[in-house]
Short mmCIF file of all heavy atoms in Angstrom, two decimals:
data_model
loop_
_atom_site.label_atom_id
_atom_site.label_comp_id
_atom_site.label_asym_id
_atom_site.label_seq_id
_atom_site.Cartn_x
_atom_site.Cartn_y
_atom_site.Cartn_z
N THR H 344 -117.20 -47.54 -169.68
CA THR H 344 -116.42 -48.77 -169.65
C THR H 344 -116.47 -49.49 -171.00
O THR H 344 -115.68 -50.41 -171.23
CB THR H 344 -116.95 -49.70 -168.54
OG1 THR H 344 -118.38 -49.70 -168.60
CG2 THR H 344 -116.52 -49.22 -167.17
N ASN H 345 -117.41 -49.11 -171.84
CA ASN H 345 -117.48 -49.60 -173.24
C ASN H 345 -117.46 -51.11 -173.42
O ASN H 345 -116.92 -51.59 -174.41
CB ASN H 345 -116.31 -49.01 -174.05
CG ASN H 345 -116.45 -47.51 -174.17
OD1 ASN H 345 -117.41 -47.00 -174.75
ND2 ASN H 345 -115.52 -46.78 -173.57
N GLU H 346 -118.06 -51.84 -172.50
CA GLU H 346 -118.03 -53.30 -172.69
C GLU H 346 -119.00 -53.77 -173.77
O GLU H 346 -118.78 -54.78 -174.42
CB GLU H 346 -118.42 -54.03 -171.39
CG GLU H 346 -117.45 -53.85 -170.24
CD GLU H 346 -117.99 -52.89 -169.22
OE1 GLU H 346 -118.73 -51.96 -169.61
OE2 GLU H 346 -117.66 -53.04 -168.03
N LEU H 347 -120.13 -53.06 -173.93
CA LEU H 347 -121.19 -53.58 -174.79
C LEU H 347 -121.17 -53.00 -176.20
O LEU H 347 -120.72 -51.87 -176.41
CB LEU H 347 -122.57 -53.29 -174.17
CG LEU H 347 -122.86 -53.99 -172.84
CD1 LEU H 347 -124.19 -53.54 -172.29
CD2 LEU H 347 -122.84 -55.51 -172.99
N GLY H 348 -121.66 -53.78 -177.15
CA GLY H 348 -121.76 -53.30 -178.52
C GLY H 348 -122.89 -54.02 -179.24
O GLY H 348 -123.47 -54.99 -178.72
N LEU H 349 -123.23 -53.53 -180.44
CA LEU H 349 -124.23 -54.18 -181.29
C LEU H 349 -123.46 -54.93 -182.38
O LEU H 349 -122.61 -54.35 -183.05
CB LEU H 349 -125.12 -53.14 -181.96
CG LEU H 349 -126.17 -52.47 -181.05
CD1 LEU H 349 -126.50 -51.09 -181.55
CD2 LEU H 349 -127.42 -53.34 -181.02
N PHE H 350 -123.74 -56.20 -182.56
CA PHE H 350 -122.99 -57.02 -183.52
C PHE H 350 -123.93 -57.58 -184.59
O PHE H 350 -125.10 -57.81 -184.33
CB PHE H 350 -122.27 -58.16 -182.79
CG PHE H 350 -121.31 -57.65 -181.74
CD1 PHE H 350 -121.73 -57.45 -180.44
CD2 PHE H 350 -120.00 -57.32 -182.08
CE1 PHE H 350 -120.86 -56.96 -179.48
CE2 PHE H 350 -119.12 -56.83 -181.12
CZ PHE H 350 -119.55 -56.64 -179.82
N ASN H 351 -123.43 -57.80 -185.76
CA ASN H 351 -124.16 -58.31 -186.93
C ASN H 351 -125.14 -57.26 -187.47
O ASN H 351 -125.26 -56.16 -186.94
CB ASN H 351 -124.88 -59.63 -186.64
CG ASN H 351 -123.88 -60.69 -186.22
OD1 ASN H 351 -122.74 -60.69 -186.67
ND2 ASN H 351 -124.32 -61.59 -185.34
N ARG H 352 -125.86 -57.67 -188.53
CA ARG H 352 -126.72 -56.70 -189.23
C ARG H 352 -128.17 -57.20 -189.32
O ARG H 352 -128.42 -58.39 -189.19
CB ARG H 352 -126.21 -56.52 -190.67
CG ARG H 352 -124.83 -55.97 -190.74
CD ARG H 352 -124.88 -54.57 -191.25
NE ARG H 352 -123.62 -53.91 -191.10
CZ ARG H 352 -123.06 -53.20 -192.05
NH1 ARG H 352 -123.65 -53.10 -193.22
NH2 ARG H 352 -121.93 -52.59 -191.85
N GLY H 353 -129.06 -56.28 -189.62
CA GLY H 353 -130.47 -56.62 -189.89
C GLY H 353 -131.07 -57.40 -188.74
O GLY H 353 -130.79 -57.13 -187.58
N ASP H 354 -131.90 -58.40 -189.08
CA ASP H 354 -132.56 -59.12 -187.99
C ASP H 354 -131.64 -60.15 -187.34
O ASP H 354 -132.06 -60.95 -186.51
CB ASP H 354 -133.90 -59.73 -188.43
CG ASP H 354 -133.74 -60.78 -189.51
OD1 ASP H 354 -132.58 -61.12 -189.84
OD2 ASP H 354 -134.77 -61.25 -190.02
N ARG H 355 -130.34 -60.14 -187.74
CA ARG H 355 -129.36 -60.98 -187.04
C ARG H 355 -128.61 -60.16 -185.96
O ARG H 355 -127.74 -60.67 -185.28
CB ARG H 355 -128.32 -61.54 -188.01
CG ARG H 355 -128.89 -62.46 -189.09
CD ARG H 355 -128.96 -63.90 -188.56
NE ARG H 355 -129.48 -64.83 -189.55
CZ ARG H 355 -130.77 -65.01 -189.83
NH1 ARG H 355 -131.68 -64.26 -189.22
NH2 ARG H 355 -131.16 -65.91 -190.70
N THR H 356 -128.93 -58.88 -185.86
CA THR H 356 -128.21 -58.02 -184.90
C THR H 356 -128.43 -58.50 -183.47
O THR H 356 -129.54 -58.85 -183.08
CB THR H 356 -128.69 -56.55 -185.00
OG1 THR H 356 -128.67 -56.18 -186.36
CG2 THR H 356 -127.82 -55.63 -184.18
N GLU H 357 -127.34 -58.50 -182.70
CA GLU H 357 -127.43 -58.87 -181.29
C GLU H 357 -126.54 -57.97 -180.46
O GLU H 357 -125.51 -57.50 -180.93
CB GLU H 357 -126.97 -60.33 -181.06
CG GLU H 357 -127.96 -61.35 -181.53
CD GLU H 357 -127.54 -62.78 -181.17
OE1 GLU H 357 -127.21 -63.02 -180.00
OE2 GLU H 357 -127.52 -63.62 -182.09
N ILE H 358 -126.96 -57.76 -179.22
CA ILE H 358 -126.11 -57.09 -178.24
C ILE H 358 -125.07 -58.09 -177.76
O ILE H 358 -125.36 -59.28 -177.67
CB ILE H 358 -126.98 -56.67 -177.01
CG1 ILE H 358 -127.99 -55.60 -177.41
CG2 ILE H 358 -126.13 -56.20 -175.83
CD1 ILE H 358 -127.39 -54.30 -177.82
N GLY H 359 -123.89 -57.64 -177.45
CA GLY H 359 -122.89 -58.55 -176.88
C GLY H 359 -121.75 -57.77 -176.29
O GLY H 359 -121.72 -56.52 -176.35
N THR H 360 -120.81 -58.48 -175.69
CA THR H 360 -119.64 -57.79 -175.14
C THR H 360 -118.49 -57.94 -176.13
O THR H 360 -118.40 -58.94 -176.85
CB THR H 360 -119.21 -58.40 -173.78
OG1 THR H 360 -119.08 -59.80 -173.95
CG2 THR H 360 -120.22 -58.10 -172.69
N HIS H 361 -117.64 -56.92 -176.16
CA HIS H 361 -116.48 -56.99 -177.05
C HIS H 361 -115.58 -58.13 -176.57
O HIS H 361 -115.54 -58.46 -175.39
CB HIS H 361 -115.73 -55.66 -177.03
CG HIS H 361 -116.54 -54.56 -177.66
ND1 HIS H 361 -116.74 -54.47 -179.01
CD2 HIS H 361 -117.24 -53.54 -177.10
CE1 HIS H 361 -117.52 -53.43 -179.27
NE2 HIS H 361 -117.83 -52.85 -178.14
N ASP H 362 -114.88 -58.71 -177.53
CA ASP H 362 -114.04 -59.89 -177.27
C ASP H 362 -113.30 -59.87 -175.94
O ASP H 362 -112.55 -58.94 -175.66
CB ASP H 362 -112.99 -59.98 -178.38
CG ASP H 362 -113.30 -61.18 -179.24
OD1 ASP H 362 -114.31 -61.83 -178.96
OD2 ASP H 362 -112.53 -61.43 -180.20
N GLY H 363 -113.54 -60.87 -175.16
CA GLY H 363 -112.76 -61.03 -173.92
C GLY H 363 -113.03 -59.97 -172.88
O GLY H 363 -112.27 -59.84 -171.91
N MET H 364 -114.08 -59.18 -173.05
CA MET H 364 -114.34 -58.13 -172.07
C MET H 364 -115.72 -58.34 -171.45
O MET H 364 -116.74 -58.00 -172.05
CB MET H 364 -114.29 -56.77 -172.77
CG MET H 364 -114.37 -55.60 -171.81
SD MET H 364 -114.84 -54.10 -172.66
CE MET H 364 -113.27 -53.42 -173.05
N PRO H 365 -115.81 -58.93 -170.27
CA PRO H 365 -117.13 -59.10 -169.67
C PRO H 365 -117.72 -57.77 -169.24
O PRO H 365 -116.99 -56.79 -169.06
CB PRO H 365 -116.84 -59.98 -168.44
CG PRO H 365 -115.41 -59.74 -168.13
CD PRO H 365 -114.72 -59.38 -169.41
N LEU H 366 -119.03 -57.72 -169.10
CA LEU H 366 -119.68 -56.53 -168.55
C LEU H 366 -119.41 -56.58 -167.04
O LEU H 366 -120.05 -57.33 -166.31
CB LEU H 366 -121.18 -56.56 -168.83
CG LEU H 366 -122.01 -55.45 -168.19
CD1 LEU H 366 -121.59 -54.08 -168.69
CD2 LEU H 366 -123.50 -55.66 -168.46
N ASP H 367 -118.40 -55.86 -166.63
CA ASP H 367 -117.95 -55.99 -165.24
C ASP H 367 -117.50 -54.62 -164.73
O ASP H 367 -116.33 -54.25 -164.84
CB ASP H 367 -116.79 -57.00 -165.18
CG ASP H 367 -116.37 -57.29 -163.74
OD1 ASP H 367 -117.03 -56.78 -162.82
OD2 ASP H 367 -115.39 -58.04 -163.55
N ASN H 368 -118.47 -53.85 -164.26
CA ASN H 368 -118.11 -52.58 -163.64
C ASN H 368 -119.10 -52.33 -162.50
O ASN H 368 -120.14 -52.99 -162.43
CB ASN H 368 -118.10 -51.44 -164.67
CG ASN H 368 -119.47 -51.14 -165.22
OD1 ASN H 368 -120.32 -50.58 -164.54
ND2 ASN H 368 -119.74 -51.53 -166.47
N ASN H 369 -118.78 -51.38 -161.64
CA ASN H 369 -119.59 -51.18 -160.44
C ASN H 369 -120.94 -50.52 -160.73
O ASN H 369 -121.69 -50.21 -159.82
CB ASN H 369 -118.79 -50.35 -159.42
CG ASN H 369 -119.39 -50.42 -158.02
OD1 ASN H 369 -120.11 -51.37 -157.69
ND2 ASN H 369 -119.14 -49.42 -157.20
N TYR H 370 -121.25 -50.31 -162.02
CA TYR H 370 -122.54 -49.70 -162.37
C TYR H 370 -123.33 -50.59 -163.32
O TYR H 370 -124.33 -50.16 -163.89
CB TYR H 370 -122.30 -48.31 -162.98
CG TYR H 370 -121.73 -47.36 -161.94
CD1 TYR H 370 -120.35 -47.27 -161.74
CD2 TYR H 370 -122.55 -46.63 -161.11
CE1 TYR H 370 -119.82 -46.46 -160.75
CE2 TYR H 370 -122.04 -45.82 -160.11
CZ TYR H 370 -120.68 -45.73 -159.95
OH TYR H 370 -120.18 -44.94 -158.95
N SER H 371 -122.86 -51.84 -163.50
CA SER H 371 -123.42 -52.71 -164.54
C SER H 371 -124.92 -52.94 -164.40
O SER H 371 -125.63 -53.09 -165.40
CB SER H 371 -122.69 -54.05 -164.55
OG SER H 371 -122.93 -54.72 -163.33
N LEU H 372 -125.43 -52.96 -163.18
CA LEU H 372 -126.85 -53.31 -163.02
C LEU H 372 -127.81 -52.19 -163.44
O LEU H 372 -129.01 -52.42 -163.57
CB LEU H 372 -127.13 -53.76 -161.57
CG LEU H 372 -126.57 -55.16 -161.27
CD1 LEU H 372 -126.54 -55.43 -159.78
CD2 LEU H 372 -127.37 -56.24 -161.99
N ASN H 373 -127.26 -51.00 -163.69
CA ASN H 373 -128.12 -49.96 -164.25
C ASN H 373 -128.62 -50.35 -165.64
O ASN H 373 -129.68 -49.91 -166.07
CB ASN H 373 -127.36 -48.63 -164.34
CG ASN H 373 -127.10 -48.05 -162.96
OD1 ASN H 373 -128.03 -47.65 -162.27
ND2 ASN H 373 -125.84 -48.03 -162.55
N THR H 374 -127.84 -51.18 -166.35
CA THR H 374 -128.27 -51.61 -167.69
C THR H 374 -129.54 -52.46 -167.57
O THR H 374 -130.39 -52.43 -168.45
CB THR H 374 -127.18 -52.41 -168.43
OG1 THR H 374 -126.86 -53.58 -167.67
CG2 THR H 374 -125.92 -51.58 -168.65
N VAL H 375 -129.63 -53.22 -166.47
CA VAL H 375 -130.83 -54.04 -166.27
C VAL H 375 -132.04 -53.12 -166.01
O VAL H 375 -133.13 -53.34 -166.54
CB VAL H 375 -130.62 -55.01 -165.08
CG1 VAL H 375 -131.90 -55.77 -164.76
CG2 VAL H 375 -129.47 -55.96 -165.37
N ASP H 376 -131.82 -52.08 -165.20
CA ASP H 376 -132.92 -51.14 -164.91
C ASP H 376 -133.45 -50.49 -166.18
O ASP H 376 -134.65 -50.29 -166.33
CB ASP H 376 -132.44 -49.97 -164.01
CG ASP H 376 -132.03 -50.43 -162.63
OD1 ASP H 376 -132.42 -51.54 -162.25
OD2 ASP H 376 -131.31 -49.67 -161.96
N ILE H 377 -132.55 -50.11 -167.08
CA ILE H 377 -133.01 -49.32 -168.23
C ILE H 377 -133.39 -50.18 -169.43
O ILE H 377 -133.94 -49.66 -170.39
CB ILE H 377 -131.95 -48.26 -168.66
CG1 ILE H 377 -130.61 -48.92 -169.04
CG2 ILE H 377 -131.77 -47.21 -167.58
CD1 ILE H 377 -129.58 -47.93 -169.58
N CYS H 378 -133.10 -51.47 -169.37
CA CYS H 378 -133.54 -52.35 -170.46
C CYS H 378 -135.07 -52.41 -170.40
O CYS H 378 -135.64 -52.82 -169.40
CB CYS H 378 -132.95 -53.76 -170.29
SG CYS H 378 -133.47 -54.89 -171.58
#
Side-chain angles (χ1 to χ4, degrees):
T344 44
N345 294 298
E346 295 104 329
L347 295 176
L349 286 152
F350 301 90
N351 301 328
R352 298 251 169 134
D354 63 6
R355 297 273 181 279
T356 310
E357 285 185 51
I358 294 295
T360 52
H361 293 287
D362 249 2
M364 187 199 268
L366 174 62
D367 186 4
N368 67 72
N369 196 23
Y370 294 88
S371 65
L372 287 166
N373 291 293
T374 60
V375 175
D376 295 342
I377 59 175
C378 179

